[in-house]
Amino acid sequence: MQQITKRITDFINTLDNINNVVVVVGAGISVGSGLTTFRGPGGLYENKTVEELASRAGFAEDPLLVWSWYKARMERMFEVEPNSAHHALVKLERRGLLSLLITQNVDGLHRRAGQSKLIEIHGTVVKTHCFDHCGRTAELDGPPEDIPVKCECGSYQRPSVVWFGEQLNSEHLQKVDEVIDNADLMITVGTSGYVYPVANFPFVAKHKGVKLVDFNINRTQISDMADLFVQVPSEISLPIFVDELIVRNF
Ligand code: BJW
Ligand code: ZN
């Protein structure tokens, strides 16, 4: 651990002035809370891949199967607690260093940890809307009892998350562009960098001269271009990094 802290401190000492940190998060941050990732162990559900389950076509073909997947995941999400990596990001915000946290996770753990400068760019499981666009929406305070969840129009409600082939919220994307333009550091945490357009954010940042730090237990295309890659579970490495950044007192 001393060696990791030294690598982190040495890197932070090379930085001039850090005031605007943008953080991009994926499923790996919640592993320390007991949730599973999409593409690692436990990533398959009933022999289907996330690409098959998280799509309009998948829901149209078998709404019960897709809702069963979300219900099982929601049961875990409501059981678990934010971990030290989520709390470290709240600390970064409270010290005034964070411009924006962009999470791909729909598990709500950042909000529960107390994060405010937050965009849930792939949506959230606690909201639903009509699969057939009748306009009805609903909020859930736990996993739904009866699935597939019915809509009053006769169709189904679906989770308000972004599935493959669906557009991300354009205001969110505009805000991301703005914060990257003004960023001096981007931190990526626990993402495979497999899913676009989020996978592009580190490339855009790097191209604009923003320093890039990646926290992941496995090497990815993001780690390959990062200025610092820390290959340790983020629940261990991220609290060290945030504390060292705060101690440096830019
Ligand atoms: C740890 C750890 C520990 C483990 N500590 N780390 C350009 C090129 C090619 C394709 C496209 C493109 N642009 C768009 C596309 C198509 C598509 C896409 O990206 N396809 C790929 C398969 C290539 N993208 C879209 O369709 C997007 N929409 C879009 O672009 O609209 C415009 C458009 C429409 C139509 C055509 C063209 C353009 C929408 C993508 C929506 C993704 N939705 C999901 C489901 C959300 C709801 C839900 O959760 O159920 O989002 S899929 C799933 O993947 C989920 C995640 O947010 C997302 C990213 O996964 P993430 O977080 O990176 O997880 P993993 O499991 O992949 O990785 C975990 C990592 O953690 C690993 O690296 C581990 O090593 C690490 N780890 N333990 C640190 N303790
Ligand atoms: Zn409806």
Side-chain angles (χ1 to χ4, degrees):
M1 207 50 59
Q2 260 176 342
Q3 219 182 342
I4 288 158
T5 309
K6 184 170 182 325
R7 274 190 67 222
I8 287 176
T9 327
D10 286 351
F11 170 76
I12 289 175
N13 284 338
T14 67
L15 302 174
D16 288 336
N17 194 14
I18 298 294
N19 296 304
N20 297 305
V21 183
V22 180
V23 184
V24 179
V25 174
I29 199 173
S30 299
V31 169
S33 296
L35 300 183
T36 50
T37 61
F38 292 95
R39 295 169 183 89
L44 280 177
Y45 184 79
E46 305 280 328
N47 288 327
K48 300 262 182 192
T49 61
V50 61
E51 285 75 15
E52 290 170 292
L53 290 160
S55 69
R56 258 194 94 75
F59 191 91
E61 189 181 306
D62 197 342
L64 179 59
L65 176 79
V66 174
W67 260 118
S68 308
W69 183 53
Y70 278 98
K71 185 175 177 177
R73 288 174 60 205
M74 284 173 83
E75 278 162 358
R76 274 306 280 158
M77 287 173 195
F78 280 92
E79 264 167 22
V80 304
E81 298 295 329
N83 66 58
S84 48
H86 297 99
H87 293 303
L89 294 174
V90 174
K91 196 168 179 180
L92 193 69
E93 177 176 333
R94 298 206 171 136
R95 294 300 172 116
L97 292 168
L98 181 74
S99 307
L100 187 66
L101 195 169
I102 303 148
T103 188
Q104 298 169 84
N105 301 343
V106 301
D107 58 28
L109 289 174
H110 294 290
R111 258 181 299 110
R112 284 173 55 200
Q115 199 85 53
S116 328
K117 289 187 166 183
L118 174 69
I119 286 185
E120 294 174 313
I121 204 150
H122 288 165
T124 169
V125 288
V126 294
K127 292 184 179 160
T128 65
H129 64 272
C130 179
F131 182 68
D132 275 331
H133 313 289
C134 81
R136 287 182 179 83
T137 59
E139 293 217 7
L140 302 173
D141 51 15
E145 300 243 318
D146 295 323
I147 55 167
V149 179
K150 300 253 170 14
C151 184
E152 279 176 43
C153 74
S155 176
Y156 296 110
Q157 288 274 309
R158 54 161 281 184
S160 294
V161 300
V162 184
W163 284 334
F164 284 107
E166 294 183 324
Q167 300 283 351
L168 281 72
N169 178 311
S170 57
E171 282 169 27
H172 285 174
L173 292 176
Q174 202 182 331
K175 173 86 182 161
V176 170
D177 270 350
E178 281 165 25
V179 292
I180 293 182
D181 274 346
N182 294 306
D184 25 50
L185 177 68
M186 177 177 279
I187 299 175
T188 48
V189 189
T191 181
S192 58
Y194 182 70
V195 175
Y196 290 85
V198 175
N200 257 337
F201 299 166
F203 287 90
V204 173
K206 184 82 186 164
H207 187 71
K208 293 194 166 167
V210 179
K211 294 279 181 195
L212 180 64
V213 181
D214 184 42
F215 297 95
N216 198 313
I217 55 167
N218 293 306
R219 192 166 266 285
T220 67
Q221 57 167 353
I222 302 172
S223 1
D224 285 344
M225 69 166 161
D227 298 288
L228 176 70
F229 169 44
V230 187
Q231 196 169 1
V232 175
S234 57
E235 58 274 23
I236 296 169
S237 52
L238 200 51
I240 298 174
F241 186 87
V242 168
D243 282 346
E244 293 298 319
L245 202 61
I246 288 167
V247 167
R248 175 73 200 276
N249 200 11
F250 285 105

